[in-house]
């Protein structure tokens, strides 16, 4: 559900209730050849499932000569890391921030370098 901001009434007060509007969306998962800037594989899914599950679901192309996998933190999991290692891919996936702790400086720098790609 998406909540909208209640509009001010004529007298300037804001109503105490908020409107809930259902919304629908989708996600695009894309595997790109960095050198030639060509889309090798893609998958569109509804927004409900997690991103990480799509990585093992045929998104990676084993015929690609490049073995690095660049992705955001949604794709980092133990299962995905094991899958990439088993199939000969090198993980360049962003690291997550530790729970209730500040992001260590070396991880910040690493993620910033990965974001450039």
């Amino acid at each position: 559900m998406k909540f909208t901001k209640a509009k001010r009434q004529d007298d300037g007060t804001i109503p105490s209730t908020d409107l809930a509007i259902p919304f629908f969306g989708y996600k695009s998962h894309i595997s790109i050849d960095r050198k030639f800037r060509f889309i090798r594989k893609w998958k569109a899914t509804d927004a409900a499932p997690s991103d990480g599950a799509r990585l093992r679901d045929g998104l990676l192309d084993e015929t690609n000569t490049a073995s690095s996998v660049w992705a955001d933190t949604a794709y980092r999991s133990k299962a995905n890391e094991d899958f990439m290692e088993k199939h000969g891919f090198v993980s360049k996936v962003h690291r997550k921030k530790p729970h209730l702790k500040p992001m260590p400086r070396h991880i910040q720098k690493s993620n910033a370098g990965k974001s450039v790609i």
Side-chain angles (χ1 to χ4, degrees):
M1 294 299 228
K2 179 180 179 182
F3 292 94
T4 63
K5 296 190 187 247
K7 294 182 181 178
R8 292 188 180 271
Q9 296 177 347
D10 292 335
D11 62 356
T13 60
I14 299 175
S16 60
T17 58
D18 200 5
L19 303 173
I21 301 171
F23 68 99
F24 307 95
Y26 66 93
K27 294 179 186 177
S28 294
H29 309 273
I30 302 170
S31 176
I32 299 174
D33 187 313
R34 274 184 60 208
K35 183 176 181 182
F36 298 107
R37 296 182 177 159
F38 183 74
I39 296 175
R40 297 178 77 82
K41 289 189 177 187
W42 69 275
K43 186 173 289 236
T45 63
D46 60 298
S50 67
D51 292 342
R54 303 293 78 81
L55 190 67
R56 299 182 306 270
D57 195 21
L59 189 60
L60 297 179
D61 189 357
E62 293 183 6
T63 63
N64 192 349
T65 56
S67 62
S68 296
V69 176
W70 305 83
D72 65 9
T73 57
Y75 292 93
R76 180 171 285 283
S77 69
K78 179 70 173 146
N80 283 347
E81 294 294 320
D82 292 342
F83 175 82
M84 287 186 281
E85 185 177 339
K86 179 181 174 185
H87 289 89
F89 293 106
V90 177
S91 175
K92 302 288 185 180
V93 180
H94 280 77
R95 296 216 176 255
K96 296 179 183 177
K97 179 186 155 304
H99 184 63
L100 299 175
K101 294 181 180 177
M103 178 77 85
R105 187 75 180 139
H106 69 281
I107 294 177
Q108 279 182 346
K109 286 184 178 183
S110 174
N111 283 350
K114 293 172 185 174
S115 294
V116 173
I117 303 301

